[in-house]
Amino acid sequence: MGGIYVDEVKGYDEPGTQGTEAAPFKTLGQALFELGDQKGDKNEYLVKKEGEEEYKPAAKAALKKAVNLAAAQRKKVEAAALRAEREAKEQAARESVLEKAKELKITEDPALPKAVLISLTETDPAKIGTLRKEGDDGGKAVRVKVQGRVQRVAKQKGIMFVWLRRGMSTMQCLLTGDLAKTYDALVLVRETSLEIVGELWETPAGAHAPLSRELHADYFRVIAAAPGGDDAFATRVPSDFDHSTSQASEALLNLRHLTLRHEKPSAVMYVKSVVERAFHNAYHELGVTKVSPPALVQTQVEGGSTLFGLDYYGQKAYLTQSSQLYLETMLPSLGDVYCIEKSFRAEKSLTRRHLSEYTHVEAELDYISFDDLLAHLEDLICRVVDLTLADPVAAKAIKEYNPDFKPPARPFMRMRYADAIEWLRERGIKNEEGNDHVFGDDIAEAAERLMTDEINQTIMLTHFPAHIKAFYMQRAADDDRVTESVDILMPGVGEIVGGSMRIWDYDELLAAYKREGLDPAPYYWYTDQRKYGGSPHGGFGLGLERFLAWMMKLWTVREACLYPRYMGRCTP
């Protein structure tokens, strides 16, 4: 039997299929696309459908539909061929231009004054001279030299604008004439390291540039070229990434060393530096002494389940969960003390606010009451916010990425744990088991954040039940069931601070060890603080990444880390 065969079950639509009974097509449309022009319309198309034993002539309606599909497919192929031909011509033209550009060599004019190396934000007239202005010579002009990486490139009518970046600073540079026609200029891409030489001009009216000026170049050189094409920076780490998408976030974290070059990540790291400095300055103002406790320990602070264990020369040791116990030992010798160190928690948690390694701001204060501790925390947080906002670069970054940010209103709202339980019950917010909250529940993160966001102000949540808190916390004098403890909750983030008064009575601490099933022997150095002149004291720990997430409205605390560490991630 002659004709073109189509078997919708056993056929193939691979290029080169002949449509014989031994090698039939799978679809009628593909048969017409492959062979219709060659065989002509007189050919009989024979089709075998699923469940049929024999080939039958194609139905007229099916044939008409297939003809249209084949025609559309041919148009697509023809259009693709034309596009490929056009792109090939354009590529050839580009390559020709680039080849000619290689012949154009630029050199620094030795007759010009020697350039002065300046920073991108230099404003000293002695170094930069008087800015030139359009229409006049602008007075004395100094030839300057700047170095940095390309942030952005724009080309128009033989002029090239290059935004050079060095750290958080940028400068707009202008390449004209032969400078814009060289091979290095034509292939210039983001992250290429450059040195540009020229004079500083005042930007024209209506134009916007850092410090309202731009560098009119008379020479430039490539220090180190960045790749283009598929390996280009913008291709590997696009600026519009979304941390709320886990797959995209993980892929970008693999390239964290590159994503940190984008404006927001670099701004976050800068603000983090300013916030940390603000804590140092605030404590310097208060006369509180900084110390550096060990990261390798043999005791637990917040429960054994979150310890990272390791072999320490044949002994069992851990990465510290908190520096608190060591800070307490410094009170008799230095008075009030603080530290900003790394802490490590082996929680198998992948929430937006949990990390395995984080920056911990901790302090211990001697001879205080619980009210003193709360007042200290309120003063400290407000002072740190004020000091941070006093830095113009940090303030600008916070305003850009969290335009609604306002310093927390004083006084902070104070709410006892028992009142929070009642608040949750009244609104039907259930615990993790799906039941109404009852006194003694450890309020889950979701419920806590829901309450904080609805109240929408800073909350000092106090007096937690003793059985859900750490062994060292002091019981409240008015209710032995609860501790003199506090969590500070911020809208959008939840808990950023955990603090308490510490047990300072010797016998009471021994009883706490027994109650928690802890061997007191490894804690001898901690227990001795109660033995040799105890005192009422308290302290706190603040997660710097959570604090930063609150100030900059970050989706996750991972964005607040240089290289975040959490369950499953320890690279790069």
Side-chain angles (χ1 to χ4, degrees), residues 229-375:
D230 292 340
D231 208 28
F233 177 86
T235 302
R236 296 188 70 190
V237 283
S239 60
D240 57 348
F241 54 87
D242 182 3
H243 275 284
S244 64
T245 305
S246 60
Q247 187 173 2
S249 179
E250 289 296 312
L252 286 164
L253 283 173
N254 290 334
L255 298 172
R256 182 66 171 167
H257 57 291
L258 296 180
T259 61
L260 284 166
R261 301 187 184 198
H262 278 302
E263 291 180 4
K264 183 178 180 181
S266 60
V268 170
M269 290 302 106
Y270 180 84
V271 175
K272 186 175 186 179
S273 171
V274 174
V275 169
E276 187 168 334
R277 184 170 71 240
F279 274 104
H280 286 302
N281 289 341
Y283 271 133
H284 180 72
E285 293 171 357
L286 292 170
V288 179
T289 304
K290 180 185 180 297
V291 295
S292 296
L296 294 171
V297 301
Q298 291 186 310
T299 51
Q300 67 184 50
V301 182
E302 301 291 347
S305 64
T306 67
L307 286 168
F308 281 110
L310 55 96
D311 185 327
Y312 186 73
Y313 302 106
Q315 300 180 51
K316 188 66 176 177
Y318 311 97
L319 294 177
T320 184
Q321 301 161 313
S322 165
S323 298
Q324 175 205 319
L325 305 188
Y326 293 93
L327 289 176
E328 289 187 56
T329 69
M330 299 310 299
L331 293 177
S333 56
L334 291 177
D336 298 344
V337 289
Y338 82 100
C339 71
I340 301 180
E341 302 285 348
K342 293 290 188 180
S343 284
F344 305 86
R345 301 284 175 89
E347 289 175 280
K348 293 183 177 179
S349 177
L350 291 172
T351 74
R352 288 190 287 148
R353 68 176 193 173
H354 281 95
L355 293 164
S356 297
E357 177 189 65
Y358 65 98
T359 307
H360 212 171
V361 180
E362 298 182 88
E364 290 296 317
L365 310 172
D366 207 6
Y367 293 103
I368 63 168
S369 67
F370 187 46
D371 284 339
D372 293 333
L373 176 62
L374 298 183

Side-chain angles (χ1 to χ4, degrees), residues 367-536:
Y367 293 103
I368 63 168
S369 67
F370 187 46
D371 284 339
D372 293 333
L373 176 62
L374 298 183
H376 172 85
L377 284 167
E378 184 173 308
D379 290 342
L380 176 69
I381 288 171
C382 291
R383 182 59 178 152
V384 166
V385 170
D386 288 344
L387 288 170
T388 301
L389 295 177
D391 183 292
V393 178
K396 181 181 177 181
I398 293 168
K399 181 66 176 176
E400 180 177 356
Y401 297 110
N402 188 9
D404 297 326
F405 177 79
K406 294 179 182 178
R410 302 181 71 171
F412 292 176
M413 177 183 179
R414 299 189 183 187
M415 174 188 284
R416 291 179 75 111
Y417 163 89
D419 295 328
I421 291 294
E422 190 59 31
W423 191 96
L424 294 169
R425 287 176 62 87
E426 288 175 355
R427 288 158 182 77
I429 299 173
K430 307 298 183 182
N431 62 21
E432 289 187 308
E433 286 72 41
N435 302 318
D436 288 337
H437 281 85
V438 296
F439 188 92
D441 283 351
D442 191 355
I443 301 174
E445 176 189 347
E448 180 184 86
R449 289 186 65 166
L450 188 64
M451 179 181 73
T452 308
D453 291 348
E454 185 169 328
I455 293 174
N456 197 31
Q457 60 180 292
T458 305
I459 301 172
M460 283 184 161
L461 191 59
T462 66
H463 297 91
F464 290 86
H467 73 274
I468 63 172
K469 284 296 184 180
F471 73 91
Y472 51 76
M473 293 190 180
Q474 181 70 50
R475 299 289 181 110
D478 62 348
D479 186 348
D480 189 63
R481 300 176 304 161
V482 300
T483 54
E484 290 187 321
S485 54
V486 58
D487 284 356
I488 296 183
L489 313 178
M490 291 295 190
V493 178
E495 180 194 346
I496 64 167
V497 173
S500 76
M501 296 298 290
R502 318 308 193 189
I503 294 174
W504 59 281
D505 179 80
Y506 179 83
D507 292 330
E508 192 175 340
L509 182 59
L510 290 179
Y513 290 142
K514 184 176 181 180
R515 185 172 60 251
E516 296 296 323
L518 294 173
D519 179 4
Y523 294 88
Y524 72 93
W525 51 274
Y526 181 68
T527 310
D528 274 355
Q529 305 310 306
R530 283 75 182 162
K531 189 174 182 180
Y532 294 90
S535 60

